Amino acid sequence: MVRGARGGQREIVGAIEHFQAAIDFASLGLRPEIIEIPAFEAFGRSLGPFALRWYSLAYIAGIILGWAYLKRLLRAPNPPMSPLQADDFITWATLGIIGGGRLGYVLFYNLDQYLAKPMSILALWDGGMSFHGGLIGMVLAVLIFAARNGLSAVRVGDYIACVVPIGQTFGRLANFINGELYGRTTDVPWAVVFPEGGAVGRHPSQLYEAAGEGVLLLLVLAWLFYRTDARLRPGLLTGVFIGGFGLVRFIIEYFREPDRQLGYLAFDWTMGQWLCVPMIVVGAGVVAWSLRRAPHPA
């Protein structure tokens, strides 16, 4: 019994020493703000403070680089829309991403809080965006834009699907810089002690998501677009993106700390995992539907 107790004490001490040896987030020198201007007086009024945040820059960079990549994809023969129409779509995409992402977070993750303070829904600077909501907003944007311009919504969606992982990569990197949406406790060598996560090492799950939901999906879709006839099969790239994202995110959720206000749901799954289940099913269905149809003329 004594040996067992001492062995347990050694394990506890070893775990504590490991967490102490984990990477201290503060030592990385990362701050949510790129530039911060303190409050000041002007024209007899108090203005500020003002700040340019990495999170805002991530959205801007994702949209601009996504637009540039979309223009490159449209150089392939028989594109679903013109470069000028792609320019017009940026406004629709921005509204869909931001509006859908915010409303998705409100509905899926923190409805009670926002019902108590409805005006806080507009406080985007306080954070709180949902990818699943942003995806729904983007789908609506594609449908409305295609209908107004007489385009094939399915083919437009395929090209947009190839672009979305760019924004996802930047968004998750910004989450890491903000020290938010961190992972579960772990003893891996690359564990990080986040300021809001307690004095324990945690998975940098934001980086896992940037790599999986962002870079990996971007490369897979680019390979399918340029190396196969996927772009000529309406719905195929969209289905691969939706199903692929759902599968990758479902797996990574096992390393990510669940939202405090929700915790674990049925089957010990998180809200993120439950939202990914229909994505996997729908994505697989769209891929199967696409493969049964004749390819679009080259």
Side-chain angles (χ1 to χ4, degrees), residues 36-73:
E36 188 170 15
I37 302 175
F40 59 93
E41 296 289 335
F43 307 106
R45 300 182 60 182
S46 178
L47 302 177
F50 300 104
L52 175 61
R53 301 177 181 273
W54 284 107
Y55 199 71
S56 301
L57 187 61
Y59 272 86
I60 295 171
I63 291 172
I64 292 176
L65 292 178
W67 164 76
Y69 184 47
L70 175 61
K71 297 287 284 284
R72 182 179 181 85
L73 295 177

Short mmCIF file of all heavy atoms in Angstrom, two decimals, residues 36-73:
data_model
loop_
_atom_site.label_atom_id
_atom_site.label_comp_id
_atom_site.label_asym_id
_atom_site.label_seq_id
_atom_site.Cartn_x
_atom_site.Cartn_y
_atom_site.Cartn_z
N GLU A 36 -2.78 49.33 -31.23
CA GLU A 36 -3.79 49.80 -30.28
C GLU A 36 -3.57 51.29 -30.01
O GLU A 36 -2.46 51.71 -29.68
CB GLU A 36 -3.71 49.02 -28.97
CG GLU A 36 -4.85 49.33 -28.02
CD GLU A 36 -4.90 48.37 -26.84
OE1 GLU A 36 -3.89 47.67 -26.62
OE2 GLU A 36 -5.93 48.33 -26.16
N ILE A 37 -4.62 52.07 -30.20
CA ILE A 37 -4.57 53.51 -29.95
C ILE A 37 -5.41 53.80 -28.71
O ILE A 37 -6.62 53.52 -28.70
CB ILE A 37 -5.12 54.30 -31.15
CG1 ILE A 37 -4.32 53.97 -32.41
CG2 ILE A 37 -5.09 55.81 -30.87
CD1 ILE A 37 -4.87 54.60 -33.67
N PRO A 38 -4.80 54.31 -27.64
CA PRO A 38 -5.56 54.58 -26.42
C PRO A 38 -6.58 55.69 -26.61
O PRO A 38 -6.53 56.44 -27.60
CB PRO A 38 -4.47 54.98 -25.42
CG PRO A 38 -3.35 55.48 -26.27
CD PRO A 38 -3.39 54.67 -27.53
N ALA A 39 -7.49 55.82 -25.68
CA ALA A 39 -8.52 56.86 -25.74
C ALA A 39 -7.87 58.25 -25.75
O ALA A 39 -6.82 58.46 -25.14
CB ALA A 39 -9.47 56.72 -24.56
N PHE A 40 -8.49 59.17 -26.47
CA PHE A 40 -7.94 60.52 -26.55
C PHE A 40 -9.08 61.52 -26.73
O PHE A 40 -10.21 61.15 -27.06
CB PHE A 40 -6.95 60.63 -27.72
CG PHE A 40 -7.56 60.31 -29.06
CD1 PHE A 40 -8.08 61.30 -29.87
CD2 PHE A 40 -7.61 58.99 -29.51
CE1 PHE A 40 -8.64 61.01 -31.11
CE2 PHE A 40 -8.16 58.68 -30.75
CZ PHE A 40 -8.68 59.69 -31.55
N GLU A 41 -8.78 62.78 -26.47
CA GLU A 41 -9.75 63.86 -26.60
C GLU A 41 -9.58 64.54 -27.95
O GLU A 41 -8.46 64.84 -28.38
CB GLU A 41 -9.55 64.88 -25.49
CG GLU A 41 -9.83 64.34 -24.08
CD GLU A 41 -11.30 64.08 -23.83
OE1 GLU A 41 -12.13 64.75 -24.51
OE2 GLU A 41 -11.62 63.23 -22.99
N ALA A 42 -10.69 64.80 -28.65
CA ALA A 42 -10.65 65.50 -29.92
C ALA A 42 -11.99 66.18 -30.15
O ALA A 42 -13.04 65.55 -29.96
CB ALA A 42 -10.33 64.55 -31.06
N PHE A 43 -11.94 67.43 -30.55
CA PHE A 43 -13.16 68.20 -30.82
C PHE A 43 -14.10 68.21 -29.62
O PHE A 43 -15.33 68.16 -29.76
CB PHE A 43 -13.89 67.64 -32.05
CG PHE A 43 -13.03 67.51 -33.26
CD1 PHE A 43 -12.60 66.25 -33.69
CD2 PHE A 43 -12.62 68.63 -33.97
CE1 PHE A 43 -11.79 66.13 -34.81
CE2 PHE A 43 -11.80 68.51 -35.09
CZ PHE A 43 -11.39 67.26 -35.51
N GLY A 44 -13.49 68.24 -28.44
CA GLY A 44 -14.29 68.31 -27.22
C GLY A 44 -14.95 67.01 -26.83
O GLY A 44 -15.82 66.99 -25.96
N ARG A 45 -14.56 65.91 -27.47
CA ARG A 45 -15.17 64.60 -27.17
C ARG A 45 -14.08 63.58 -26.89
O ARG A 45 -12.95 63.71 -27.38
CB ARG A 45 -16.05 64.13 -28.33
CG ARG A 45 -17.19 65.06 -28.67
CD ARG A 45 -18.02 64.49 -29.80
NE ARG A 45 -18.59 63.19 -29.45
CZ ARG A 45 -19.33 62.46 -30.28
NH1 ARG A 45 -19.54 62.87 -31.51
NH2 ARG A 45 -19.81 61.29 -29.88
N SER A 46 -14.43 62.58 -26.12
CA SER A 46 -13.52 61.49 -25.84
C SER A 46 -13.71 60.39 -26.89
O SER A 46 -14.83 59.89 -27.07
CB SER A 46 -13.77 60.92 -24.43
OG SER A 46 -12.91 59.83 -24.17
N LEU A 47 -12.63 60.05 -27.59
CA LEU A 47 -12.70 59.04 -28.64
C LEU A 47 -11.80 57.85 -28.29
O LEU A 47 -10.79 58.00 -27.63
CB LEU A 47 -12.26 59.63 -29.97
CG LEU A 47 -13.04 60.86 -30.48
CD1 LEU A 47 -12.42 61.38 -31.77
CD2 LEU A 47 -14.50 60.50 -30.70
N GLY A 48 -12.18 56.69 -28.78
CA GLY A 48 -11.35 55.51 -28.57
C GLY A 48 -11.71 54.77 -27.30
O GLY A 48 -12.70 55.08 -26.64
N PRO A 49 -10.88 53.78 -26.93
CA PRO A 49 -9.68 53.36 -27.67
C PRO A 49 -10.01 52.59 -28.95
O PRO A 49 -11.11 52.07 -29.09
CB PRO A 49 -8.97 52.45 -26.66
CG PRO A 49 -10.09 51.88 -25.84
CD PRO A 49 -11.12 52.98 -25.73
N PHE A 50 -9.04 52.56 -29.86
CA PHE A 50 -9.19 51.86 -31.12
C PHE A 50 -8.10 50.80 -31.24
O PHE A 50 -6.98 51.01 -30.76
CB PHE A 50 -9.09 52.82 -32.30
CG PHE A 50 -10.13 53.90 -32.29
CD1 PHE A 50 -9.81 55.19 -31.90
CD2 PHE A 50 -11.44 53.62 -32.66
CE1 PHE A 50 -10.76 56.20 -31.89
CE2 PHE A 50 -12.40 54.61 -32.65
CZ PHE A 50 -12.07 55.91 -32.26
N ALA A 51 -8.43 49.69 -31.85
CA ALA A 51 -7.44 48.61 -32.00
C ALA A 51 -7.67 47.87 -33.31
O ALA A 51 -8.81 47.66 -33.73
CB ALA A 51 -7.53 47.64 -30.83
N LEU A 52 -6.58 47.51 -33.96
CA LEU A 52 -6.62 46.62 -35.12
C LEU A 52 -6.22 45.24 -34.62
O LEU A 52 -5.11 45.06 -34.13
CB LEU A 52 -5.66 47.09 -36.20
CG LEU A 52 -5.52 46.17 -37.43
CD1 LEU A 52 -6.85 46.02 -38.14
CD2 LEU A 52 -4.46 46.69 -38.39
N ARG A 53 -7.13 44.29 -34.72
CA ARG A 53 -6.91 42.96 -34.15
C ARG A 53 -6.57 41.95 -35.23
O ARG A 53 -6.99 42.07 -36.38
CB ARG A 53 -8.16 42.50 -33.38
CG ARG A 53 -8.55 43.44 -32.24
CD ARG A 53 -9.83 42.99 -31.56
NE ARG A 53 -10.21 43.89 -30.49
CZ ARG A 53 -9.77 43.80 -29.25
NH1 ARG A 53 -8.95 42.81 -28.92
NH2 ARG A 53 -10.16 44.66 -28.33
N TRP A 54 -5.80 40.94 -34.82
CA TRP A 54 -5.44 39.87 -35.74
C TRP A 54 -6.69 39.15 -36.26
O TRP A 54 -6.72 38.70 -37.40
CB TRP A 54 -4.53 38.86 -35.03
CG TRP A 54 -3.13 39.33 -34.85
CD1 TRP A 54 -2.53 39.73 -33.70
CD2 TRP A 54 -2.14 39.46 -35.88
NE1 TRP A 54 -1.23 40.10 -33.92
CE2 TRP A 54 -0.96 39.95 -35.25
CE3 TRP A 54 -2.11 39.22 -37.25
CZ2 TRP A 54 0.22 40.19 -35.95
CZ3 TRP A 54 -0.94 39.46 -37.95
CH2 TRP A 54 0.19 39.94 -37.32
N TYR A 55 -7.72 39.04 -35.42
CA TYR A 55 -8.93 38.33 -35.82
C TYR A 55 -9.59 39.05 -37.00
O TYR A 55 -10.03 38.42 -37.96
CB TYR A 55 -9.89 38.24 -34.64
CG TYR A 55 -10.94 37.17 -34.79
CD1 TYR A 55 -10.59 35.82 -34.71
CD2 TYR A 55 -12.28 37.49 -35.01
CE1 TYR A 55 -11.55 34.83 -34.85
CE2 TYR A 55 -13.23 36.51 -35.15
CZ TYR A 55 -12.86 35.18 -35.07
OH TYR A 55 -13.80 34.20 -35.21
N SER A 56 -9.64 40.39 -36.92
CA SER A 56 -10.22 41.16 -38.02
C SER A 56 -9.36 41.03 -39.27
O SER A 56 -9.87 40.85 -40.38
CB SER A 56 -10.33 42.64 -37.63
OG SER A 56 -11.13 42.80 -36.49
N LEU A 57 -8.04 41.10 -39.08
CA LEU A 57 -7.14 40.99 -40.22
C LEU A 57 -7.25 39.61 -40.87
O LEU A 57 -7.10 39.48 -42.09
CB LEU A 57 -5.70 41.24 -39.77
CG LEU A 57 -4.65 41.33 -40.88
CD1 LEU A 57 -4.98 42.47 -41.83
CD2 LEU A 57 -3.26 41.49 -40.30
N ALA A 58 -7.51 38.58 -40.06
CA ALA A 58 -7.65 37.23 -40.60
C ALA A 58 -8.83 37.15 -41.57
O ALA A 58 -8.74 36.53 -42.64
CB ALA A 58 -7.84 36.22 -39.46
N TYR A 59 -9.96 37.78 -41.21
CA TYR A 59 -11.12 37.80 -42.10
C TYR A 59 -10.80 38.55 -43.38
O TYR A 59 -11.13 38.12 -44.49
CB TYR A 59 -12.32 38.43 -41.39
CG TYR A 59 -13.14 37.44 -40.61
CD1 TYR A 59 -12.81 37.11 -39.31
CD2 TYR A 59 -14.24 36.82 -41.19
CE1 TYR A 59 -13.56 36.19 -38.59
CE2 TYR A 59 -15.00 35.90 -40.49
CZ TYR A 59 -14.66 35.59 -39.18
OH TYR A 59 -15.39 34.67 -38.48
N ILE A 60 -10.13 39.71 -43.24
CA ILE A 60 -9.79 40.51 -44.40
C ILE A 60 -8.84 39.74 -45.32
O ILE A 60 -9.03 39.68 -46.54
CB ILE A 60 -9.15 41.84 -43.97
CG1 ILE A 60 -10.17 42.68 -43.20
CG2 ILE A 60 -8.63 42.61 -45.18
CD1 ILE A 60 -9.58 43.92 -42.54
N ALA A 61 -7.79 39.14 -44.74
CA ALA A 61 -6.82 38.38 -45.53
C ALA A 61 -7.48 37.18 -46.20
O ALA A 61 -7.20 36.88 -47.38
CB ALA A 61 -5.66 37.92 -44.64
N GLY A 62 -8.35 36.48 -45.47
CA GLY A 62 -9.02 35.32 -46.04
C GLY A 62 -9.88 35.68 -47.23
O GLY A 62 -9.89 34.98 -48.25
N ILE A 63 -10.60 36.80 -47.12
CA ILE A 63 -11.48 37.23 -48.22
C ILE A 63 -10.66 37.69 -49.42
O ILE A 63 -10.95 37.31 -50.56
CB ILE A 63 -12.42 38.35 -47.73
CG1 ILE A 63 -13.44 37.77 -46.73
CG2 ILE A 63 -13.15 38.99 -48.90
CD1 ILE A 63 -14.28 38.81 -46.04
N ILE A 64 -9.61 38.48 -49.19
CA ILE A 64 -8.81 39.00 -50.30
C ILE A 64 -8.05 37.87 -51.01
O ILE A 64 -8.07 37.77 -52.25
CB ILE A 64 -7.82 40.07 -49.80
CG1 ILE A 64 -8.59 41.31 -49.34
CG2 ILE A 64 -6.82 40.43 -50.89
CD1 ILE A 64 -7.72 42.39 -48.74
N LEU A 65 -7.39 37.01 -50.24
CA LEU A 65 -6.64 35.91 -50.86
C LEU A 65 -7.60 34.90 -51.50
O LEU A 65 -7.28 34.30 -52.54
CB LEU A 65 -5.75 35.23 -49.83
CG LEU A 65 -4.59 36.08 -49.31
CD1 LEU A 65 -3.80 35.31 -48.25
CD2 LEU A 65 -3.66 36.48 -50.45
N GLY A 66 -8.74 34.70 -50.88
CA GLY A 66 -9.73 33.80 -51.46
C GLY A 66 -10.23 34.34 -52.80
O GLY A 66 -10.40 33.57 -53.77
N TRP A 67 -10.47 35.65 -52.87
CA TRP A 67 -10.89 36.28 -54.12
C TRP A 67 -9.81 36.12 -55.20
O TRP A 67 -10.12 35.79 -56.35
CB TRP A 67 -11.17 37.75 -53.86
CG TRP A 67 -11.26 38.59 -55.09
CD1 TRP A 67 -12.29 38.66 -55.99
CD2 TRP A 67 -10.25 39.50 -55.58
NE1 TRP A 67 -12.00 39.54 -56.99
CE2 TRP A 67 -10.74 40.08 -56.77
CE3 TRP A 67 -8.99 39.88 -55.11
CZ2 TRP A 67 -10.02 41.01 -57.50
CZ3 TRP A 67 -8.26 40.80 -55.84
CH2 TRP A 67 -8.77 41.36 -57.01
N ALA A 68 -8.54 36.31 -54.83
CA ALA A 68 -7.45 36.18 -55.79
C ALA A 68 -7.34 34.74 -56.30
O ALA A 68 -7.12 34.50 -57.51
CB ALA A 68 -6.13 36.61 -55.15
N TYR A 69 -7.49 33.77 -55.40
CA TYR A 69 -7.41 32.36 -55.80
C TYR A 69 -8.60 31.99 -56.68
O TYR A 69 -8.45 31.24 -57.65
CB TYR A 69 -7.36 31.49 -54.55
CG TYR A 69 -7.18 30.01 -54.83
CD1 TYR A 69 -6.24 29.55 -55.74
CD2 TYR A 69 -7.97 29.07 -54.17
CE1 TYR A 69 -6.08 28.19 -55.99
CE2 TYR A 69 -7.82 27.71 -54.41
CZ TYR A 69 -6.88 27.28 -55.33
OH TYR A 69 -6.72 25.94 -55.57
N LEU A 70 -9.78 32.53 -56.36
CA LEU A 70 -10.96 32.27 -57.18
C LEU A 70 -10.74 32.77 -58.60
O LEU A 70 -11.09 32.09 -59.57
CB LEU A 70 -12.18 32.95 -56.56
CG LEU A 70 -13.49 32.86 -57.36
CD1 LEU A 70 -13.91 31.40 -57.54
CD2 LEU A 70 -14.59 33.65 -56.65
N LYS A 71 -10.15 33.96 -58.74
CA LYS A 71 -9.88 34.50 -60.07
C LYS A 71 -8.94 33.57 -60.84
O LYS A 71 -9.05 33.41 -62.06
CB LYS A 71 -9.27 35.91 -59.96
CG LYS A 71 -10.17 36.94 -59.30
CD LYS A 71 -11.31 37.35 -60.22
CE LYS A 71 -10.84 38.28 -61.32
NZ LYS A 71 -10.60 39.67 -60.84
N ARG A 72 -7.99 32.96 -60.13
CA ARG A 72 -7.07 32.03 -60.78
C ARG A 72 -7.81 30.76 -61.22
O ARG A 72 -7.57 30.25 -62.32
CB ARG A 72 -5.93 31.66 -59.82
CG ARG A 72 -4.89 30.73 -60.42
CD ARG A 72 -3.79 30.42 -59.45
NE ARG A 72 -2.79 29.55 -60.03
CZ ARG A 72 -1.76 29.93 -60.78
NH1 ARG A 72 -1.61 31.23 -61.05
NH2 ARG A 72 -0.90 29.07 -61.28
N LEU A 73 -8.70 30.25 -60.38
CA LEU A 73 -9.46 29.06 -60.74
C LEU A 73 -10.32 29.30 -61.97
O LEU A 73 -10.53 28.40 -62.80
CB LEU A 73 -10.36 28.63 -59.57
CG LEU A 73 -9.67 28.16 -58.28
CD1 LEU A 73 -10.70 27.86 -57.21
CD2 LEU A 73 -8.79 26.94 -58.54
#
